[in-house]
Amino acid sequence: MSDAVKPAVGRDHALGWGLKSVVALVGLLLAAPTVVVVPMSFSGADTFEFPPKNWSVRWYEAFFNSERWMFSLLTSVQIAFLVALTATVLGVGVAFGLDRARFKGRNAIRSLMMAPMIMPGIVVAVAIYGVFLRWQLNGTATGFVAAHTVLALPFVVTVVSTSLAGYDRTMDVAAATLGATALTTFFRVTVPLLAPGVLSGFVFAFVTSLDEVVIALFLQTPDIQTLPVQMYNSITLEIDPTIAAASSLMVAATTIVLLVPLLVRRKRSTS
Amino acid sequence: MTTATIKAPPGVSPARGAGRARRRAAGWLILPAAALLLVFFVYPIATIVWQSFTDPAPGLGNYVALLHDGISVTVIVRTLVTALIVAGSTLIVAYPYAYAMTKVGPRARGVMTVLVLLPFWTSLMARNFAWYMLERRDGLIDRMLGLIGLDGVVLLGTVAGVTVAMVQVMLPFMVLPLYSAMKQIDPRLLDAATSLGAPRRRAFAKVYLPLSVPGMLSGFSLVFIMTLGFYITPALLGSPQQSLVPQVIGQKVSALLDFGGAGALGAVLLMITLLVLFVVSRFTRPFTALSGTVGNE
């Protein structure tokens, strides 16, 4: 922590002690949940203690040997993958449309795409639950994918729009003057330039679905429960210590997945 | 960027041939996503709002019931107060942090940025589980405070416990707009004020603070709006006797299938959200401040 607040040498306004300690405390607050979850999952005790007195991987064994936990993990990953795929395809279309086409109501479309972000999650959840009851989509993969895609779209649209905004279209002209057809230009110029943005969108969509609880709680049936729902139930119904392992795995998974676009970008800029 | 000198004059479609037809055609790419949102987002929301006026009987019955059932008004007020407390606490906690971010060197700023984005990265259920363990009896917070003589501080099941967890996860939404407002403040203005005889503290209050108001406004309104919709955190860390609007909406639907009543409460929540957004948009644009900082990540 002290490293985070070390003032740069020769700065005019070095941070005073008061400000430094406030920053350290806020940093502690920000990191607290992550710092707690990981050690707890390696506890050797039957009940939770923090910090644990002895260490083991028994809760990870319990997680990977439990049919229920593994099934919910598999369900979550499958749904998240389909959501990421759908949201990316649809979102890239929207970003292109908004960037390249000129028509009335562009701002209305833009607001529509962002609306799921502002709408209180519980309102979306019960509203979707209501119509899904009639359409018999509760507890179906189609229902989950459709509902989560709605939530994931804003992220894809935002990220891809940002990289389209930074796209220099004289590149297309340059390719054309060098004799490339429209198709070649698209695949050799446009796609490689936009790939990092699209990949970020995909990843954001994946994580959004993987982590979503509120809608999943309402759409769940005994046959189809996502991992976060299983975690929720294991806190509210029975405190099953396996949840500590599940939590750490979720933290690790989201971190790794979100780091992928950064690493890809870095590799590109160095090579 | 410096090469972007070829600009078409206004009214003339830029450079290349395919022109207008292709520009129109690109618009069709929006259609699939728009259709999905209409079917799975707009229609459901419209339906539940419609039901709030028609189910079980046409009229304003559900809204009148909210006023007279003896609980809804209390819950709505409690939710608004909680959101105000959370937004206020987040502002107080975030302000010095964002200020420090403008003062430190690039490396420390990098570390501070990663730290502030941590709540975004941490899985929602993992985060709430961690707070559950920290806040319960004999949890870390209870024992730590026991060491300094404060015995029996159990945050679990209290409004304070919910608030702490909410403040943590809302911090990025406050720090980022604050930071982007603060980094545009010219530090020489403060020097100018002190050189004219103002004490440092006064110069800060009279010059720096007012200039950071747009950031405070965006952050505050964002956090306020988002806090209104929290469902999981109060459900896990709060108590049923202190429930907030989202929990009541959830109960009405899952226990009673009362879509009319849930719709009415949801509509109230939505109206408050839109009202805040409208009022704030007259002064600043909360979501642009955020997308300017997060979108580039």
Side-chain angles (χ1 to χ4, degrees):
Chain A
M1 212 58 51
S2 63
D3 203 39
V5 293
K6 203 177 284 172
V9 186
R11 282 236 148 198
D12 268 344
H13 309 285
L15 303 186
W17 276 109
L19 189 54
K20 267 192 199 177
S21 36
V22 169
V23 168
L25 278 176
V26 178
L28 197 65
L29 174 69
L30 285 164
T34 320
V35 170
V36 165
V37 144
V38 178
M40 210 144 57
S41 68
F42 290 103
S43 165
D46 284 333
T47 53
F48 291 114
E49 320 155 297
F50 184 85
K53 290 199 183 68
N54 48 357
W55 306 88
S56 80
V57 290
R58 58 188 284 198
W59 302 118
Y60 288 91
E61 281 169 16
F63 180 86
F64 287 109
N65 288 326
S66 153
E67 210 168 293
R68 209 152 45 120
W69 282 102
M70 285 314 280
F71 187 67
S72 64
L73 173 68
L74 190 68
T75 309
S76 271
V77 171
Q78 282 172 335
I79 291 172
F81 185 73
L82 288 173
V83 168
L85 213 57
T86 321
T88 306
V89 171
L90 298 183
V92 168
V94 173
F96 260 92
L98 287 175
D99 187 65
R100 304 270 157 114
R102 295 281 170 275
F103 57 92
K104 274 184 195 161
R106 271 170 82 232
N107 282 330
I109 293 282
R110 215 179 285 256
S111 307
L112 172 68
M113 294 297 155
M114 293 301 140
M117 277 176 106
I118 335 169
M119 197 67 76
I122 184 70
V123 178
V124 182
V126 294
I128 289 182
Y129 176 67
V131 294
F132 277 17
L133 276 181
R134 273 187 282 140
W135 298 343
Q136 301 188 333
L137 283 175
N138 281 329
T140 66
T142 319
F144 273 98
V145 172
H148 280 180
T149 304
V150 167
L151 295 187
L153 258 177
F155 292 100
V156 181
V157 173
T158 310
V159 178
V160 179
S161 293
T162 310
S163 55
L164 268 177
Y167 180 86
D168 186 354
R169 295 192 64 188
T170 45
M171 296 284 210
D172 292 0
V173 184
T177 55
L178 292 172
T181 61
L183 214 59
T184 317
T185 307
F186 181 76
F187 282 110
R188 303 290 296 272
V189 179
T190 314
V191 170
L193 279 175
L194 294 181
V198 174
L199 182 66
S200 304
F202 185 91
V203 163
F204 272 119
F206 186 87
V207 172
T208 303
S209 166
L210 193 69
D211 204 29
E212 202 284 330
V213 208
V214 185
I215 292 180
L217 271 177
F218 280 90
L219 299 188
Q220 67 164 325
T221 58
D223 293 331
I224 186 162
Q225 278 177 346
T226 62
L227 185 57
V229 168
Q230 171 68 27
M231 290 165 80
Y232 184 89
N233 291 343
S234 94
I235 296 181
T236 50
L237 303 181
E238 41 170 333
I239 280 277
D240 167 9
T242 314
I243 189 190
S247 294
S248 298
L249 287 171
M250 280 291 264
V251 171
T254 46
T255 307
I256 290 168
V257 166
L258 287 170
L259 279 177
V260 166
L262 285 181
L263 293 178
V264 168
R265 216 167 284 191
R266 181 156 301 175
K267 203 173 165 196
R268 273 169 177 254
S269 59
T270 50
S271 64
Chain B
M1 278 304 121
T2 47
T3 55
T5 44
I6 317 162
K7 275 238 169 77
V12 177
S13 68
R16 289 166 325 284
R20 203 159 278 186
R22 222 167 78 190
R23 311 208 122 222
R24 188 93 33 90
W28 293 105
L29 292 171
I30 298 171
L31 205 63
L36 181 100
L37 283 183
L38 283 180
V39 175
F40 293 107
F41 179 69
V42 177
Y43 177 74
I45 300 278
T47 304
I48 198 161
V49 172
W50 173 250
Q51 277 174 316
S52 76
F53 294 109
T54 56
D55 182 16
L60 293 174
N62 286 313
Y63 293 87
V64 176
L66 287 187
L67 288 175
H68 294 297
D69 65 1
I71 177 74
S72 298
V73 176
T74 318
V75 171
I76 292 170
V77 171
R78 185 189 294 137
T79 308
L80 291 175
V81 170
T82 307
L84 274 178
I85 293 175
V86 170
S89 320
T90 313
L91 177 60
I92 292 169
V93 172
Y95 200 92
Y97 192 87
Y99 177 75
M101 272 176 80
T102 65
K103 291 288 169 204
V104 296
R107 178 176 287 186
R109 180 156 49 241
V111 175
M112 289 177 78
T113 311
V114 170
L115 263 179
V116 87
L117 290 176
L118 217 65
F120 273 146
W121 290 39
T122 318
S123 141
L124 188 148
M125 278 313 300
R127 208 165 6 89
N128 280 296
F129 167 65
W131 283 117
Y132 186 91
M133 299 317 290
L134 281 170
E135 290 183 354
R136 69 187 183 142
R137 185 171 300 283
D138 288 330
L140 193 63
I141 294 176
D142 187 12
R143 277 186 291 139
M144 292 294 261
L145 292 176
L147 288 181
I148 56 167
L150 291 166
D151 277 326
V153 181
V154 183
L155 291 174
L156 193 64
T158 67
V159 177
V162 176
T163 305
V164 171
M166 283 182 174
V167 168
Q168 191 258 352
V169 69
M170 285 291 107
L171 269 169
F173 295 96
M174 189 69 88
V175 169
L176 296 176
L178 275 178
Y179 173 68
S180 63
M182 285 174 175
K183 76 175 176 207
Q184 284 165 17
I185 300 176
D186 190 337
R188 283 172 305 182
L189 288 174
L190 273 177
D191 298 339
T194 42
S195 76
L196 291 171
R200 266 212 97 68
R201 195 167 287 224
R202 173 105 163 276
F204 188 86
K206 290 277 180 187
V207 177
Y208 198 91
L209 213 58
L211 284 171
S212 64
V213 163
M216 289 159 78
L217 215 55
S218 322
F220 193 91
S221 53
L222 264 176
V223 172
F224 182 83
I225 288 171
M226 298 180 92
T227 307
L228 290 178
F230 267 62
Y231 178 71
I232 300 295
T233 303
L236 286 178
L237 305 178
S239 82
Q241 285 79 40
Q242 299 278 318
S243 55
L244 302 177
V245 170
Q247 286 158 273
V248 177
I249 294 178
Q251 276 157 17
K252 277 185 195 286
V253 165
S254 58
L256 311 166
L257 286 180
D258 174 13
F259 283 97
L265 257 183
V268 170
L269 206 59
L270 227 55
M271 289 310 293
I272 298 171
T273 304
L274 293 177
L275 192 73
V276 173
L277 272 181
F278 174 75
V279 170
V280 171
S281 71
R282 311 206 62 120
F283 302 103
T284 174
R285 308 186 59 188
F287 282 92
T288 39
L290 195 71
S291 63
T293 37
V294 181
N296 297 332
E297 281 305 311

